[in-house]
Amino acid sequence: MERMSDQRTRMPWGLYTVGGLGGLLFGYDTGIISGAGPIIQNDWRLNAAQLGFITASVLIGSMVGALAIGGLADKFGRKKLFIIAALLFIAGGFFCMFSQNFAEMSIARIVLGFAIGAASSLTPTYLVELADKDHRGSVASMFQLMITIGILVAYFANLLFLNHNIGGLADWRWMLGSELLPAAALMIGSIALPESPRYLIKAGKVELARKILEKRLKRDGTQEIEEIKAVLAKSQGKGTFKELFSVSGKSVLVAILLMFFQQLVGINAVIYFVPKIFQSAFHFSSANSIWISVGIGAVNVISTIVALGIMNRFNRKSLLIFGSIEMAISFIIIIILTLALGVHSMGSAIVTMIFIALFIIGFAVSWGPICWIMISEIFPLKVRGLGTSIGSAANWIGDFIVSQFFTILLVAFHNNIAGPFAIFCAFSILSIFFVKYMVPETRGKSLEEIEENMDEKKKKA
Ligand code: BGC
């Protein structure tokens, strides 16, 4: 008991929190554009496709940013690239705030996307590499927690700036400009953060890695260093894309599918569009629908905090399957009720809200954090940056597909959410089989043990 509490006080949570700041930027932009987008559309008289592109341009930039950063992170380390991502973020945020027309805004948002994509690939790898094996699930969940906090804080920032044209600058410019704050935090944080010890050992700087493990991460790293060295000694090559596919082809497939399923269960349809659906289908005022966003955001943060607490206690696969079942049941009940009660009654609005909250809880304790943790865990150190960047790019592609097709689907189903929700429900059910048959269990094993296991399986196959 004494040892447990001793261990708890020694865990450097402050450092892990700063390490997760990349997630804050990711979430913050998701939340801000949902508030700023419609106002820009009004001010500049954009059509729906142009507004869609302003939202989606970040996703395109993120795919590119995520893919580009992986190889660089394996070559130059995680820390330097965090600094570059923060600089890009500051530049992108600044250009967004002052852009004068649709073309400038789209370019600025693509630059912002580079930074967000880079951060989404770097942060999970970095956190997974900092943690010890017993706490890795919770530590790496900091990324997801930061995403959800970012979304929620952005909703409040939207409320704060809405209709206030401070200093003659339109409210939406302040909303976008406020992204400079988390970007500056990432910049300062990145300078203060230590390099990943695993990267340092790979780069031959073993003594520096030992120092970071002992002084900053507060643990004796002797055994860890030996394990990492042993695994590195066995693996050859320079960590190229070709090697990634030949050494870890299955991991690449698992990472891509994990991320596709994470998006195809429809989380961002709920986050981006549900408040608008309440406005149009249930005749909520726009002020009330903003509070629905805040409610969704708060449930998301609170359940992610719960996830952080339970992540080390349950197998990743069990949590994923639990989440899939919980999400599928929530969808089925919403579908039945909206079909039975009609889309306009207050009763169905309340019930829909309750089951949307349950859907978010199911996602937040499972697919939300775990996919980001696993896309880093399942790759060997030599190609971890590259592998994670492919998983991360898959996440952005999935997000792009859902956000582009959701509104089209909604129209096709005469504005009845039962239609698109049935598709998300089908993906939730399919995901159970994917997890059962394809995803490896990684909890409680060191990254080096996971690497050896994957290697053995490959040799047997
Ligand atoms: C997903 C994001 C999503 C967020 C919501 C993340 O894990 O990748 O697309 O917006 O969770 O909490």
Side-chain angles (χ1 to χ4, degrees):
M1 191 65 203
E2 225 167 67
R3 270 193 61 209
M4 282 268 302
S5 60
D6 186 23
Q7 171 79 351
R8 217 166 278 154
T9 47
R10 281 165 62 90
M11 286 276 289
W13 282 108
L15 196 151
Y16 295 142
T17 309
V18 178
L21 276 179
L24 192 75
L25 297 176
F26 172 165
Y28 197 79
D29 186 72
T30 305
I32 282 290
I33 199 61
S34 73
I39 320 178
I40 302 174
Q41 181 181 25
N42 231 359
D43 266 17
W44 287 353
R45 299 188 197 295
L46 303 178
N47 58 35
Q50 285 172 313
L51 172 63
F53 191 74
I54 286 188
T55 312
S57 49
V58 156
L59 305 183
I60 297 169
S62 301
M63 283 171 222
V64 179
L67 276 179
I69 210 79
L72 297 175
D74 285 337
K75 210 166 174 187
F76 299 108
R78 324 306 189 201
K79 183 180 156 93
K80 284 192 200 105
L81 289 158
F82 267 129
I83 298 177
I84 293 175
L87 283 174
L88 273 175
F89 209 100
I90 291 173
F94 188 79
F95 290 132
C96 279
M97 184 175 183
F98 292 106
S99 64
Q100 294 302 316
N101 51 45
F102 171 69
E104 281 178 27
M105 178 65 88
S106 305
I107 295 170
R109 300 233 355 117
I110 290 179
V111 174
L112 203 62
F114 290 158
I116 297 179
S120 74
S121 163
L122 285 170
T123 314
T125 308
Y126 180 67
L127 289 174
V128 154
E129 289 188 343
L130 282 193
D132 65 297
K133 70 174 179 190
D134 294 332
H135 300 93
R136 197 173 59 236
S138 299
V139 171
S141 298
M142 283 308 286
F143 178 57
Q144 178 69 11
L145 181 62
M146 286 293 170
I147 297 178
T148 59
I149 292 177
I151 297 176
L152 185 61
V153 174
Y155 288 153
F156 282 112
N158 288 343
L159 279 172
L160 186 77
F161 289 116
L162 188 68
N163 297 330
H164 295 291
N165 297 341
I166 309 162
L169 273 185
D171 47 1
W172 62 262
R173 292 192 187 276
W174 286 107
M175 291 175 186
L176 291 173
S178 69
E179 301 204 18
L180 292 172
L181 282 177
L186 178 66
M187 180 80 210
I188 298 167
S190 310
I191 295 170
L193 286 172
E195 180 52 271
S196 147
R198 284 187 163 74
Y199 166 77
L200 287 172
I201 296 170
K202 192 179 81 152
K205 298 180 184 162
V206 178
E207 278 322 301
L208 184 55
R210 190 187 307 279
K211 227 171 162 182
I212 290 172
L213 280 164
E214 277 165 15
K215 298 247 160 63
R216 306 286 300 269
L217 299 167
K218 315 269 185 235
R219 60 179 192 262
D220 173 21
T222 316
Q223 198 194 335
E224 240 174 301
I225 293 177
E226 287 317 309
E227 278 180 25
I228 298 168
K229 285 207 302 206
V231 164
L232 276 171
K234 271 196 236 155
S235 61
Q236 288 137 18
K238 292 201 183 80
T240 57
F241 264 112
K242 204 170 145 214
E243 258 172 72
L244 170 69
F245 284 97
S246 65
V247 177
S248 318
K250 187 181 170 208
S251 300
V252 174
L253 183 66
V254 170
I256 293 176
L257 289 178
L258 270 173
M259 283 313 192
F260 274 168
F261 275 114
Q262 195 215 37
Q263 290 300 320
L264 294 176
V265 297
I267 182 66
N268 285 323
V270 170
I271 289 190
Y272 299 156
F273 300 110
V274 160
K276 289 185 196 97
I277 295 173
F278 272 79
Q279 221 172 323
S280 56
F282 302 119
H283 306 294
F284 275 51
S285 68
S286 52
N288 281 344
S289 76
I290 291 188
W291 285 107
I292 292 188
S293 301
V294 172
I296 289 177
V299 170
N300 202 4
V301 172
I302 295 167
S303 5
T304 308
I305 295 174
V306 173
L308 225 82
I310 62 173
M311 202 49 69
N312 302 322
R313 279 189 247 152
F314 296 95
N315 280 346
R316 312 254 195 273
K317 287 181 73 159
S318 317
L319 282 175
L320 285 173
I321 292 177
F322 165 80
S324 300
I325 295 174
E326 213 258 84
M327 291 188 293
I329 293 176
S330 309
F331 278 135
I332 291 171
I333 295 175
I334 297 175
I335 294 166
I336 294 175
L337 287 172
T338 33
L339 291 180
L341 295 173
V343 270
H344 303 297
S345 77
M346 197 46 166
S348 81
I350 293 171
V351 179
T352 306
M353 238 182 304
I354 294 172
F355 282 94
I356 283 193
L358 282 176
F359 161 78
I360 303 252
I361 294 171
F363 178 87
V365 299
S366 60
W367 287 80
I370 293 178
C371 293
W372 290 109
I373 302 173
M374 283 196 125
I375 61 162
S376 300
E377 288 180 330
I378 57 177
F379 289 105
L381 177 54
K382 273 251 155 79
V383 287
R384 184 166 298 135
L386 272 186
T388 310
S389 70
I390 292 185
S392 173
N395 185 273
W396 295 105
I397 296 172
D399 192 350
F400 183 78
I401 295 172
V402 171
S403 36
Q404 293 300 299
F405 284 100
F406 181 70
T407 33
I408 300 172
L409 278 175
L410 203 57
V411 174
F413 285 100
H414 307 289
N415 273 336
N416 193 327
I417 48 169
F421 277 19
I423 296 177
F424 299 146
C425 181
F427 279 112
S428 309
I429 295 170
L430 274 179
S431 68
I432 300 172
F433 297 98
F434 161 63
V435 173
K436 196 161 173 353
Y437 296 110
M438 285 192 72
V439 176
E441 182 54 59
T442 52
R443 182 178 75 105
K445 302 188 180 101
S446 71
L447 293 175
E448 290 62 41
E449 280 168 314
I450 300 172
E451 191 166 336
E452 300 242 295
N453 273 353
M454 302 285 266
D455 226 30
E456 269 161 32
K457 276 196 191 142
K458 204 179 156 236
K459 273 184 209 142
K460 273 186 206 150

